[in-house]
Amino acid sequence: MSKETDLLIRKIEREKQARKQAEKLLEEKSLELYESNQKLKKLNNNLEYLVEERTRKLRETEQEYFTLVESITDIICKVNLRGEVVFVNQIASTIMGQSKEELIGQNVLSFIPSEYRSKVFKYFARQFFQNKCISYYDLPIKTSQNNVLWVRVNVQFTEDKCQECDLKRCFLAGLTEEVVSSNNCHFNEIIVVAHNITERRNNELEIARNLRQQEILTEISVNYNSIADFESNTKEAVRIIGQHTGVSRVYVFEDSTDGLLTSNTYEWCNDGIAPQIKDLQNIPYEMIPSWKRLLNEEGIVYSEKIEELPEDIRAILEPQAIKSIIVLPLIESGNIFGFIGFDECDSNHKWSKSELELLRTVSSTISTAFLRNRIQTDLVLSEKENRGIIDSIPDEILRLNREGQVISFKSRCEDSIFAKLNRPDVNSIVDVLSEDLSNSFISSIEECIVKGDFEFNFSSFHHHEMQYFEARFAKLKSSEILVIVRNVTELKAKEKQLNIAKNKAEQASKAKSEFLANVSHEIRTPMNAILGFSEWLHTNVENQQHKNYLHTIMTSGRNLLALINDILDLSKIESGKMNIELEPMQCKIVINQIKQVFKQKLEANNLAFNISVDHSVPHYIYMDEVRFYQILFNLVGNAIKFTSKGYIHVSASAVKTSDPNSINLILNVEDTGIGIKEDQQENVFKAFTQQSGQSNRYYEGTGLGLTIVGGLLKKLNGEISLKSEVGRGSKFTIKFKDVKIAEVSAEEDQKAKELNDFVLEPCKILIVDDLKFNILVLKRIIEFDNVTFLEAESGEKAIEIMEMEPPDIVFMDIRMPGMNGYDATEVIRNNPDWNHIPVVAFTASIMNDELERIYKLFDEYLQKPVFRKDVFAVLKKFLKIKYLNAENAQVIENEVKLSGDCIANLPEIIDGLENGFLDDWKKIKNDLIIYEIEDFSKKLSDFAFKKSCVILDNYCKELDLAIQSFDIELIEKHIGEFETVIAKLKVYLE
C-alpha cells in the first residue's frame, strides 16, 4: 500500500516537475513571442516612417523639378506621338503669347512657319531613322502675334527600341496616320527644350550686313583712286550702290554756281526703270523751295510714302512714279553744292538705320571725291596761270650748279646783263660777270646750299650808268640752285625820294606830337581838378539834386575829355604809336556800360536800345577794354546821332576757330536811322569827312569817330563792314579775329567785383605836384583813415621830405618847375635806401615817346584826369590792404533788428518773394538791363514797405544806389545777392 502510495507520490512529483518545466518553457516561449511581436511592431513602424519619408522627399524633388522647369528661361515642353503638346512651362506661355491651357493640345508643327515645316520634319525623320537625338538645331517659330522668333532646340524623341518598333516605322513611311508604339516599345513622349536666339541671330545678320556695307564702301573708295577719269568713277560708284540697295534709281544732282539751279549729272536705273536725266536739267530751286529747306535744316529729304512730303516736292516726284525717296546733300567746306538721291518706284521702301548710315557715308565719300576733283582741276589751271605769270614777269631766271655753270636761263629783258648766256659758247656766269661779281655769285651759291635760301644785292655799271639788282637764291638740290634777278634801279631812285619825303613827314609829325602833348597837358591838368572833385563830391554829398548837377558836370567833362582823346588817338594811329594792352574783359558788361552812358540821349530821342549777347561769347576774353569801349562808343554814338525814331540794336556772337582757346568775336551795331548812300559809304571812314549833303549844324561832330574805329580795329586784328540803305538805316559789323579766351577763376572774378571792399593798412603816401588842387584831388580819392599824406610841390622838395620821412609809395607828376618828375625819380632809383619804394607817374602827358620813358623808369602810370578805380588798382598792387570780409559784414547784419510785424509776416514775406519775385529775378539777373532792374527794385521796395521788412528795405536801397551811380559791377553784385536775402529771412524764421 505504502509502496503504491510512494509510487503515486513520486508520479505526482514527477508530473508537478514536468508541469513546472512545461509552464516555465511556455513562459519563456511566450516571452520570446512577445519580444518577437514587439520587434515586428517596431519594424512595421519603421517601415511606415521610411515610406512616408521617401514619399516626402519624392514630393520635394518633384517640386524642385517643377520650380526648375518653371523658372528656366528656355521653352520646355512634352509632346505625345501625335505631335500634340501635353506640357509646357511658364516661359513658353510668355514667349508664345498664349496661356498654358491654350498651348496644350496644339500640334507642335503648327508653331513652325509653313515654308519651313517640310524641311524641319524631314530632318527630324532622318535623325529618327539613325536613332539620334537632336542637339542645337535652329528653326523659326511663330507667336500668337505673328512675330517670328528663332530658337535653338534639343529634342529627346527616340531610344533603341524605337528603331525596332514596326508601328513607328510604318508611320514614318506614311503607311499609318497615327504614331503609336509596339508592346515592347514604351517611349511615347518627346521632350523639347528650345532656347531663344532671336537677338543673337539678328546681331549676326547685322554684322554680316555691316561687313557687306564695308565692302561696298571700300569698293567705291578704291574705284575713285583708280586711274580712270572722275566721270567714269562717279558712274561706277552710282552703279555699285544702286545694285547693292536694289532701289529703282540712283542719281547725282549738281547746283549752279549761284546755287539757284540744279541739274541731274549722273544716273543709274534698275531693270525696267526709265531714265529721267535728260528731263531734269537746270531745275530752279524756286519751283521746289521745300527741297532746299529740308536739305539745309534737316540734312535729308526722306519719306517712305511721298504723299507725306510737301506739295511742291510731290509735284515733281509723282510724274516719275516714285513711291519712296531718300536724298542726302553733297557738302563741300560746309556748303551744299548738290545731292545724291535714291528712288523706289515699285513699293514703299522702309530704310533701316544701318542702310541710312551707309547712304550717309556714300554721300560723304562722293562729296570728298568731288572736292578732290575740283582741287585737281584748280591745280591744273593754277599751274597754267603760274606758267603764264612766270613767262610775263620782267625778272631773269637762272638755274645754276654749284660751280656757277648755267643749266637753264630765261629772260624777257631786252637789255639783260646776262645777255651773253644766249650765245652757244657761253654757259657760266664767270664768262658773263666781272671777276669780283662772279666770285660773289659763287659765294652766294654756297651760302644758299647751306641755308636753303639766300638774298644778294649787287650793282653793276651797265650801258654807261650804274644799275642796281636784287638776286634771290633758292636751293633745288644738293648741288643745284635757282636764282631770280630783278633790276631795281628805278625802285632805288623812288626809294631815295621816299626817304627824303619820310624825313620831312617825321619832322612834321614830331612837331605835331609835341604840340599835341603840350595841349594835352594844359587841358588835362584843369580837367583833372574838375572831374576829380566832381567825383569826390558825387560820392559824399547827400542832396539828390546836387548829385544830379555833379553827374551832369562829370558827363560834360568826360565828353570834353573824349574829344581830346579823339584828336590824340588819331595822331597816335597816324604815327603808328598806339599801344594795345590785352587784359581779361567781360564783353557783356562793357556793352551794358555803353547803354548806360547813352541812357539820357536814348530816352530824350525815344529810342529803343536792344542788347543780345549770344551764349557762344565767353565770359572773359583778352581785349584792350579801353579801345574796345572806344570803338563801341563811337559806333553807338553815331547810331543815336543819326536815328530820330526806331531802335539801336547791339549784338555779340562768337565763332570757333581752329585754336580751341581762341574765337572770332562778331559785333553788330544796327540802327533805323537816315542811312548812307552807297557812293558815300567809303567816305565815312575818312578823317574829318561826313556824308555829302549832311547838315553839320544839325548832326554836329568832327568826322573823326569812324576813322579812329578803323585805325583801332587794325591794331586789334579786326575789320569792319557796312550795309546801309537810305531812309531805312545802317548796320556796322565788326569782326575781331583770333581773340584769346581768358580763364578767370571764381575768386578773381569776385575780387574784381569787390574793388572797393577793402581798407589800407597804416601807410605813408607822398604826392608830388606843382598844382595844389591836383594833390587835393588825389587825397580826396584815396581818403582812408590809416593813411598819412606827405605833400611836395617840386622834385627838390620831394627829395627833402624822403630824407626825413621815407614814404611807402610816391605819386610823381612829370612836368614841374625846377627838378621835374624824371629827374626826381632818377635820384630815388639811384639811392639804395629808396629804390624799393614804388613810384607812380601821375601826369597828363600821354604821347608815346614819353610813355616809353615812363615805363622804363616808373613802377606804374596814371593819366590825368585820374579815376577812383584806377587809383584803387594801384594801391592794391603796391600797398598792404585788408578786405572787408564776411565776418565784418555779419557783425553789421547782426545789428539789424526785425520789428514784431515783420517777424509775424515772415512766412508771407518769404512766400511772396519765392512765388512773386524769384521768377522775375531769374529772367533779369544775367542780362543786366538797367530799366528792368530798376522796375524790379521799385516793386520789391514797395513790397518791403508794405510788409515792414527792414532787411529787404536795406537791400533795395543798396541796389538803388548802385543803379543811380551806373556802377555795373556793383549792380551785378547786388542783384546776385537776392537769393541770399531770402536765405537770411528764412534763418530769422527758424
Side-chain angles (χ1 to χ4, degrees):
M1 179 80 175
S2 59
K3 185 176 181 180
E4 291 176 354
T5 303
D6 187 45
L7 286 171
L8 184 59
I9 291 171
R10 283 201 295 274
K11 184 179 178 181
I12 292 170
E13 284 294 327
R14 283 197 298 273
E15 288 179 354
K16 285 182 178 180
Q17 289 294 327
R19 191 180 294 113
K20 287 180 179 180
Q21 289 178 354
E23 288 177 354
K24 183 178 181 181
L25 181 61
L26 181 60
E27 185 177 352
E28 290 175 353
K29 293 299 181 182
S30 296
L31 184 58
E32 288 177 3
L33 180 61
Y34 174 77
E35 290 176 349
S36 296
N37 285 336
Q38 290 298 318
K39 288 180 180 179
L40 183 61
K41 185 176 180 182
K42 186 176 182 180
L43 286 172
N44 188 45
N45 290 336
N46 287 339
L47 181 61
E48 289 179 359
Y49 173 76
L50 288 174
V51 170
E52 290 177 359
E53 185 67 17
R54 289 188 179 181
T55 302
R56 183 182 63 79
K57 288 184 177 179
L58 183 61
R59 287 174 180 167
E60 289 178 354
T61 303
E62 184 179 358
Q63 182 62 35
E64 289 175 358
Y65 172 77
F66 177 78
T67 302
L68 179 64
V69 169
E70 290 298 328
S71 62
I72 198 167
T73 58
D74 293 343
I75 296 174
I76 298 177
C77 67
K78 287 183 181 180
V79 181
N80 63 22
L81 296 181
R82 290 186 297 276
E84 298 170 345
V85 177
V86 297
F87 169 80
V88 291
N89 62 348
Q90 183 59 42
I91 194 66
S93 173
T94 302
I95 291 175
M96 298 303 293
Q98 292 178 279
S99 65
K100 289 184 178 182
E101 292 74 13
E102 290 172 331
L103 290 172
I104 292 174
Q106 294 190 50
N107 191 294
V108 72
L109 289 176
S110 67
F111 300 132
I112 301 173
S114 57
E115 62 269 25
Y116 289 93
R117 288 176 190 169
S118 176
K119 177 184 176 182
V120 171
F121 183 80
K122 288 178 181 178
Y123 176 76
F124 278 34
R126 187 164 56 252
Q127 294 299 102
F128 175 79
F129 277 121
Q130 296 175 3
N131 197 30
K132 293 180 180 178
C133 291
I134 297 175
S135 299
Y136 305 113
Y137 182 75
D138 297 347
L139 56 84
I141 60 174
K142 188 165 62 176
T143 67
S144 62
Q145 293 82 22
N146 289 323
N147 296 326
V148 176
L149 304 177
W150 280 84
V151 294
R152 178 162 289 175
V153 298
N154 295 282
V155 184
Q156 176 69 32
F157 72 122
T158 183
E159 62 180 16
D160 292 341
K161 291 180 180 180
C162 291
Q163 203 167 13
E164 301 170 359
C165 182
D166 294 332
L167 295 177
K168 290 180 181 177
R169 295 177 71 84
C170 288
F171 168 75
L172 291 172
L175 300 177
T176 63
E177 295 181 355
E178 186 175 356
V179 185
V180 294
S181 300
S182 302
N183 293 332
N184 63 341
C185 179
H186 302 292
F187 194 87
N188 294 321
E189 288 186 340
I190 300 169
I191 299 175
V192 181
V193 179
H195 178 68
N196 189 347
I197 61 168
T198 304
E199 184 177 355
R200 184 172 70 180
R201 183 178 177 85
N202 289 339
N203 290 338
E204 290 171 352
L205 292 174
E206 183 68 20
I207 291 170
R209 280 195 297 270
N210 289 339
L211 289 174
R212 177 55 186 153
Q213 290 179 1
Q214 290 298 325
E215 292 173 1
I216 292 294
L217 293 174
T218 302
E219 188 177 357
I220 292 174
S221 298
V222 170
N223 176 61
Y224 269 118
N225 289 321
S226 68
I227 59 175
D229 63 276
F230 175 77
E231 186 173 346
S232 300
N233 290 337
T234 303
K235 288 180 178 178
E236 182 64 12
V238 169
R239 181 195 64 79
I240 291 170
I241 191 62
Q243 290 182 345
H244 172 71
T245 56
V247 295
S248 300
R249 186 185 297 114
V250 181
Y251 45 83
V252 172
F253 276 69
E254 295 179 58
D255 295 348
S256 60
T257 306
D258 57 11
L260 300 178
L261 306 175
T262 188
S263 298
N264 191 180
T265 51
Y266 299 93
E267 183 185 47
W268 172 87
C269 295
N270 214 330
D271 296 338
I273 302 299
Q276 302 287 333
I277 189 169
K278 291 183 179 179
D279 299 328
L280 298 174
Q281 299 299 315
N282 296 320
I283 307 298
Y285 273 119
E286 63 181 12
M287 288 177 56
I288 43 174
S290 300
W291 188 279
K292 198 157 192 175
R293 178 181 58 79
L294 289 172
L295 287 179
N296 284 323
E297 295 179 2
E298 301 182 16
I300 191 172
V301 177
Y302 172 62
S303 180
E304 297 171 15
K305 299 177 181 178
I306 66 165
E307 294 82 3
E308 301 170 349
L309 292 171
E311 185 177 352
D312 58 329
I313 297 179
R314 293 202 311 271
I316 200 170
L317 298 183
E318 287 174 349
Q320 302 175 55
I322 298 171
K323 294 185 177 180
S324 299
I325 189 171
I326 179 171
V327 177
L328 296 166
L330 299 177
I331 300 174
E332 177 186 317
S333 303
N335 298 316
I336 296 175
F337 68 89
F339 52 86
I340 180 171
F342 305 84
D343 293 346
E344 182 57 67
C345 301
D346 296 331
S347 62
N348 297 115
H349 191 116
K350 184 174 183 179
W351 299 88
S352 67
K353 183 179 179 181
S354 62
E355 286 176 323
L356 285 172
E357 289 303 317
L358 170 66
L359 299 185
R360 289 186 189 277
T361 307
V362 169
S363 169
S364 177
T365 302
I366 293 178
S367 296
T368 304
F370 269 90
L371 174 61
R372 186 168 56 188
N373 179 64
R374 184 185 60 76
I375 291 173
Q376 289 174 347
T377 304
D378 290 346
L379 285 174
V380 172
L381 293 174
S382 177
E383 185 181 3
K384 291 181 180 178
E385 290 176 0
N386 290 337
R387 287 186 178 278
I389 292 170
I390 291 173
D391 290 340
S392 64
I393 60 176
D395 296 345
E396 302 178 70
I397 303 173
L398 299 91
R399 193 173 169 194
L400 308 174
N401 66 14
R402 197 165 199 150
E403 290 75 30
Q405 298 290 323
V406 179
I407 301 171
S408 66
F409 168 65
K410 191 168 188 177
S411 173
R412 292 179 59 86
C413 298
E414 296 179 359
D415 190 20
S416 170
I417 61 170
F418 299 100
K420 290 183 180 180
L421 290 174
N422 292 319
R423 289 164 43 183
D425 58 330
V426 178
N427 62 354
S428 173
I429 59 171
V430 177
D431 302 328
V432 177
L433 304 176
S434 66
E435 182 178 355
D436 291 342
L437 191 53
S438 60
N439 289 335
S440 297
F441 253 80
I442 298 297
S443 299
S444 298
I445 291 172
E446 291 296 330
E447 288 282 347
C448 177
I449 289 173
V450 172
K451 297 179 180 179
D453 56 50
F454 190 71
E455 288 189 7
F456 167 50
N457 297 327
F458 64 94
S459 59
S460 176
F461 200 76
H462 188 60
H463 286 288
H464 311 295
E465 66 174 348
M466 184 63 70
Q467 295 191 4
Y468 298 90
F469 299 88
E470 176 185 275
R472 287 168 290 166
F473 294 70
K475 182 179 178 181
L476 299 178
K477 299 179 182 178
S478 58
S479 60
E480 189 176 310
I481 59 110
L482 183 73
V483 185
I484 300 175
V485 180
R486 174 173 292 182
N487 191 325
V488 293
T489 304
E490 291 184 12
L491 189 63
K492 285 283 185 181
K494 291 179 180 178
E495 187 178 328
K496 185 177 180 180
Q497 294 174 358
L498 284 174
N499 283 332
I500 294 171
K502 179 186 174 186
N503 291 334
K504 290 181 179 179
E506 286 178 349
Q507 291 173 5
S509 177
K510 184 177 180 182
K512 182 180 72 172
S513 297
E514 290 176 354
F515 170 75
L516 289 173
N518 290 328
V519 170
S520 168
H521 186 275
E522 295 305 321
I523 295 177
R524 284 176 176 276
T525 298
M527 285 299 297
N528 182 52
I530 294 170
L531 292 177
F533 283 122
S534 296
E535 188 172 11
W536 180 85
L537 286 170
H538 189 275
T539 304
N540 290 277
V541 299
E542 299 295 333
N543 187 296
Q544 187 60 44
Q545 186 177 13
H546 293 171
K547 278 184 175 285
N548 293 337
Y549 292 156
L550 288 166
H551 184 268
T552 302
I553 294 171
M554 291 164 63
T555 302
S556 300
R558 284 171 179 162
N559 288 340
L560 178 58
L561 193 61
L563 178 59
I564 298 168
N565 288 336
D566 278 351
I567 298 172
L568 294 174
D569 284 342
L570 181 62
S571 175
K572 289 181 184 179
I573 291 169
E574 288 176 347
S575 62
K577 295 181 179 180
M578 173 69 72
N579 287 330
I580 298 297
E581 297 180 4
L582 300 179
E583 294 179 348
M585 182 197 83
Q586 289 178 282
C587 181
K588 188 174 184 179
I589 286 182
V590 175
I591 296 175
N592 277 290
Q593 288 174 344
I594 292 290
K595 180 178 180 180
Q596 296 312 311
V597 168
F598 290 108
K599 181 180 179 182
Q600 289 183 341
K601 284 189 177 181
L602 290 166
E603 291 176 350
N605 295 346
N606 197 25
L607 296 176
F609 191 95
N610 303 318
I611 297 173
S612 58
V613 180
D614 191 73
H615 62 83
S616 59
V617 178
H619 193 51
Y620 280 92
I621 58 174
Y622 280 106
M623 180 62 66
D624 188 319
E625 183 173 339
V626 173
R627 303 307 172 194
F628 183 87
Y629 181 95
Q630 193 173 359
I631 290 169
L632 206 53
F633 182 92
N634 281 328
L635 290 176
V636 173
N638 276 355
I640 295 172
K641 184 194 301 182
F642 297 109
T643 303
S644 59
K645 62 180 179 179
Y647 65 85
I648 288 91
H649 182 205
V650 179
S651 63
S653 61
V655 179
K656 292 181 180 179
T657 65
S658 56
D659 183 357
N661 297 318
S662 298
I663 57 155
N664 289 334
L665 181 64
I666 311 297
L667 286 179
N668 291 300
V669 178
E670 185 176 1
D671 63 61
T672 55
I674 64 174
I676 304 170
K677 296 177 182 178
E678 188 173 353
D679 59 351
Q680 296 288 317
Q681 290 181 11
E682 291 186 7
N683 293 336
V684 298
F685 293 100
K686 296 178 181 178
F688 304 104
T689 303
Q690 295 180 332
Q691 186 179 175
S692 177
Q694 176 182 303
S695 171
N696 289 350
R697 180 180 297 274
Y698 182 78
Y699 290 111
E700 302 179 339
T702 59
L704 292 177
L706 291 179
T707 307
I708 292 171
V709 168
L712 291 175
L713 284 172
K714 289 179 182 178
K715 285 285 187 179
L716 292 168
N717 192 25
E719 58 189 26
I720 186 169
S721 61
L722 166 63
K723 290 183 180 180
S724 184
E725 186 175 344
V726 175
R728 300 193 65 177
S730 304
K731 180 179 180 181
F732 289 86
T733 299
I734 301 171
K735 180 179 180 181
F736 296 95
K737 292 178 280 189
D738 299 320
V739 178
K740 295 292 183 184
I741 301 172
E743 297 294 337
V744 178
S745 67
E747 181 180 353
E748 291 172 333
D749 196 10
Q750 185 62 24
K751 282 186 177 180
K753 295 175 182 177
E754 297 175 354
L755 181 66
N756 300 334
D757 296 342
F758 75 96
V759 293
L760 289 176
E761 294 190 358
C763 62
K764 297 176 184 177
I765 297 177
L766 172 59
I767 304 174
V768 186
D769 201 303
D770 60 319
L771 296 177
K772 189 69 175 178
F773 63 78
N774 281 339
I775 297 176
L776 188 57
V777 166
L778 204 53
K779 289 172 67 177
R780 286 289 177 267
I781 289 175
I782 298 174
E783 203 169 36
F784 285 101
D785 293 337
N786 295 330
V787 176
T788 300
F789 289 103
L790 308 173
E791 302 176 17
E793 68 278 2
S794 66
E796 295 92 344
K797 185 65 175 177
I799 299 302
E800 291 177 10
I801 292 173
M802 291 186 69
E803 287 175 346
M804 294 183 293
E805 196 171 3
D808 295 293
I809 190 171
V810 178
F811 288 88
M812 181 75 71
D813 186 23
I814 298 296
R815 299 189 179 192
M816 295 180 291
M819 182 183 287
N820 63 29
Y822 292 121
D823 297 336
T825 306
E826 289 281 3
V827 173
I828 295 171
R829 290 285 177 254
N830 293 328
N831 189 322
D833 295 330
W834 299 342
N835 57 16
H836 67 282
I837 299 173
V839 182
V840 180
F842 179 54
T843 179
S845 300
I846 57 171
M847 299 311 293
N848 273 44
D849 54 351
E850 285 199 83
L851 282 178
E852 292 174 5
R853 187 178 179 187
I854 286 172
Y855 285 136
K856 288 180 181 178
L857 188 59
F858 293 85
D859 297 284
E860 193 52 84
Y861 159 64
L862 286 176
Q863 178 181 306
K864 298 176 185 176
V866 72
F867 296 102
R868 184 184 184 90
K869 67 174 184 177
D870 300 319
V871 176
F872 278 18
V874 170
L875 296 176
K876 292 173 73 175
K877 181 177 180 180
F878 294 111
L879 299 179
K880 294 180 180 180
I881 64 172
K882 183 179 180 182
Y883 282 102
L884 297 177
N885 56 29
E887 292 180 3
N888 295 339
Q890 188 63 43
V891 170
I892 296 171
E893 285 176 15
N894 288 341
E895 295 176 359
V896 178
K897 301 295 184 182
L898 296 182
S899 66
D901 290 342
C902 181
I903 293 174
N905 291 330
L906 271 180
E908 185 180 349
I909 292 172
I910 294 170
D911 180 68
L913 293 175
E914 291 183 333
N915 296 318
F917 287 90
L918 198 57
D919 287 342
D920 292 339
W921 173 77
K922 289 177 180 178
K923 293 176 183 176
I924 66 172
K925 70 184 180 74
N926 293 322
D927 294 334
L928 295 182
I929 299 174
I930 301 299
Y931 75 85
E932 292 181 351
I933 298 176
E934 279 182 317
D935 186 52
F936 174 81
S937 178
K938 185 177 183 306
K939 292 179 181 177
L940 188 63
S941 180
D942 293 342
F943 180 78
F945 177 77
K946 291 177 182 178
K947 303 298 180 183
S948 303
C949 183
V950 64
I951 289 180
L952 205 55
D953 187 57
N954 289 342
Y955 169 74
C956 292
K957 288 178 180 177
E958 291 177 357
L959 183 57
D960 284 339
L961 184 61
I963 293 170
Q964 295 304 318
S965 62
F966 302 130
D967 190 330
I968 300 297
E969 293 179 351
L970 199 57
I971 292 171
E972 186 177 19
K973 176 177 180 291
H974 287 318
I975 197 68
E977 293 171 346
F978 181 64
E979 283 185 317
T980 307
V981 173
I982 297 176
K984 290 175 184 175
L985 292 173
K986 288 182 178 180
V987 171
Y988 274 101
L989 182 63
E990 292 172 359

